[in-house]
Amino acid sequence: MWRGALVGNLLELSVILLISFGFIRHVVASPFYVGSASMVPTLHVWDRLLVNKLAYDIEGPERGDIVLFRDPEGGEEGKLLMNGKPQKESYFAHKTCSFGPVTVPKGHVFMMGDNRANSYDSRFFGPVPEETLIGEALFRFWPPGRAGGPG
């Protein structure tokens, strides 16, 4: 008799865990991998990240956030200028590239990879609608030797 109760409890626990992890993965946080060199040296190809999918439900992204977004298609002298003012960006590979100026429409964000000379970003596909944002990179969990904050 106790075996039946044990099997029933294990089955119930399994269903609860599946539902919980399904909810967490699809609504709260999900693992993703870096598929291009756009963010080198901050992130490398095949780094694995945990992404906070609730990050932009209340407030939009802030300048400098590492943001995951859906593919929208299926600076001057290497400096980023915001409203004409150069921005401090110690985290990207300093290579010369030129673009702009561009006006970002309300409800959109302009995404640029840290590896500016080799990044397929908003300079090519334009500003990204905020509703296509998936979330903010929260934690790098792979490779283990570089685990920690994504930046």
Side-chain angles (χ1 to χ4, degrees), residues 56 60-67 136:
Y56 303 124
E62 294 181 15
R63 197 172 301 139
D65 283 359
I66 297 175
V67 178
E136 180 182 10

Side-chain angles (χ1 to χ4, degrees), residues 79-150:
K79 301 272 189 235
L80 173 62
L81 302 177
M82 296 293 296
N83 299 322
K85 297 177 184 170
Q87 301 297 301
K88 291 182 181 179
E89 297 182 296
S90 59
Y91 44 81
F92 77 90
H94 293 276
K95 292 184 181 176
T96 300
C97 60
S98 181
F99 180 82
V102 75
T103 300
V104 180
K106 187 171 178 69
H108 289 69
V109 289
F110 196 84
M111 309 295 257
M112 290 198 303
D114 291 352
N115 189 0
R116 299 284 159 74
N118 295 305
S119 181
Y120 182 66
D121 53 28
S122 285
R123 293 169 295 159
F124 297 94
F125 50 73
V128 175
E130 286 184 354
E131 63 264 13
T132 66
L133 302 184
I134 295 170
E136 180 182 10
L138 187 63
F139 183 79
R140 178 184 16 237
F141 63 89
W142 193 264
R146 295 189 329 110

